[in-house]
Amino acid sequence: MAAILEAIVGSFPRSWLKRRLLIFVVLIAVYGGFVYAVVEIEHLPHIDWGAESTIMNGLVLGFLLSFRKQPRL
């Protein structure tokens, strides 16, 4: 049981990193809530980003895969 607990505790980041990540997560949550409130209050139209997000995902993945190490022959 002790080995399992050590593995679980070891999989989480150190305390200084936890605090830093928590700050960023809270800031992103506050920003998301603010944007949601503004969109709902101002009655802004909702835009369907389906095709555009697919294109952007393809471009980003293609860019990242271009940096993948090629096996030596």
Side-chain angles (χ1 to χ4, degrees), residues 31 52 66-67 73:
Y31 174 74
E52 291 83 0
S66 68
F67 288 107
L73 299 175

Side-chain angles (χ1 to χ4, degrees), residues 21-37:
L21 288 174
L22 180 64
I23 290 170
F24 284 119
V25 168
V26 168
L27 288 175
I28 289 171
V30 168
Y31 174 74
F34 175 73
V35 170
Y36 176 78

